[in-house]
Amino acid sequence: MELDIYQVDAFSTRPFSGNPAAVCITPQGLEAALMQQIAEEMAVSETAFLNLADNNLRWFTPQAEVDLCGHGTLATAHILRQNGRLAKGDAITFHTLSGPLTATAGAQGIELDFPLLTPQMEPEAPAELLKALGLANEQVSGYGVFGAKQLVVVEDAQLVYALKPDFAVLRALPGRGVAVTAPGQDEYDCVSRYFAPWVGVNEDPVTGSAHCALATYWSARLGKHSLTAYQASTRGGVLALALRENGRVLIGGGAHTVLAGTLRL
């Protein structure tokens, strides 16, 4: 079997930045076990698999399937546009574990229509979590959960940039992923980093799905419906966020294809 495979740097317009995703587009669906093996082989945070027969889109980390992935969806739409299957101004709806997700090819990049997630804010963060992140309780101004994921708010962006979590300790705690965020600087409304050692991704470079919750939090706090977010990983990436009254958020970003090839299985 031979399959076309691509690697795309998402939420960036230049190579070696943003979040790398592998993209595999096939006429018919693949077995889940094979998709997991391919994702392990590709060894990036997520590999996206699109079945053209029904527009079913699935995402796998090297260790597990995930139910929502922003950069993998953006990367898939980018490849469809690059290959002539999605013209500028056109939209495509993917069927996913998180329901229908629409991607639109814009003039400057891809715009994703994703569900807004509302973090449930709690009185204080677990002490074990803060210790694993390298944060003191007095540095934290807010803590919440969205599904199995967690949100930690600090007031100094430099704390976000300087984080050096203990991933072995994090992995031993309950959870699926944790976003640490702060007010932004200059042109950015907020900055964040996202850690997910529970699914084999110590730090995700740019996380569209986490911004479904970050958009809700920062929109309410700043009183703004349009936000520019920066994910401050080593690679870095910029996300344009626009909240809608229908409980959705538009997440926009660029993409750059760095690899196109053939998988021989």
Side-chain angles (χ1 to χ4, degrees), residues 44-257:
V44 292
S45 56
E46 267 90 10
T47 299
F49 297 89
L50 176 63
N51 174 3
L52 290 174
D54 57 8
N55 280 352
N56 183 260
L57 179 63
R58 298 171 71 174
W59 315 277
F60 288 77
T61 77
Q63 292 186 7
E65 184 172 11
V66 297
D67 59 6
L68 187 63
C69 177
H71 83 284
T73 307
L74 189 151
T76 302
H78 169 77
I79 292 299
L80 291 175
R81 181 174 182 173
Q82 178 179 292
N83 291 353
R85 293 180 179 271
L86 186 65
K88 186 174 78 171
D90 285 351
I92 183 171
T93 298
F94 301 116
H95 303 290
T96 79
L97 292 177
S98 292
L101 301 177
T102 299
T104 302
Q108 301 300 319
I110 302 295
E111 188 174 68
L112 308 175
D113 184 332
F114 268 38
L116 272 173
L117 303 176
T118 301
Q120 302 301 308
M121 305 308 290
E122 299 187 358
E124 61 181 20
E128 297 86 353
L129 174 66
L130 297 187
K131 183 177 180 181
L133 291 170
L135 290 171
N137 188 64
E138 59 269 20
Q139 294 174 313
V140 175
S141 59
Y143 170 76
V145 296
F146 52 107
K149 300 174 183 178
Q150 302 169 85
L151 173 68
V152 176
V153 184
V154 298
E155 296 304 313
D156 184 354
Q158 293 307 314
L159 287 175
V160 177
Y161 283 92
L163 284 175
K164 295 181 180 179
D166 186 326
F167 294 113
V169 174
L170 265 185
R171 194 162 40 243
L173 299 175
R176 178 83 174 187
V178 56
V180 183
T181 187
Q185 301 169 315
D186 302 322
E187 71 267 40
Y188 304 122
D189 294 295
C190 60
V191 299
S192 67
R193 289 171 67 189
Y194 184 78
F195 309 107
W198 299 273
V199 293
V201 182
N202 281 347
E203 179 168 6
D204 195 36
V206 192
T207 316
S209 60
H211 283 80
C212 295
L214 290 169
T216 305
Y217 177 85
W218 286 110
S219 174
R221 178 165 162 174
L222 300 177
K224 300 176 67 173
H225 293 290
S226 295
L227 305 164
T228 301
Y230 179 68
Q231 192 153 333
S233 64
T234 301
R235 295 173 64 95
V238 178
L239 307 91
L241 309 174
L243 282 75
R244 293 294 182 257
E245 294 180 354
N246 62 353
R248 310 286 292 182
V249 59
L250 302 181
I251 304 176
H256 180 87
T257 305

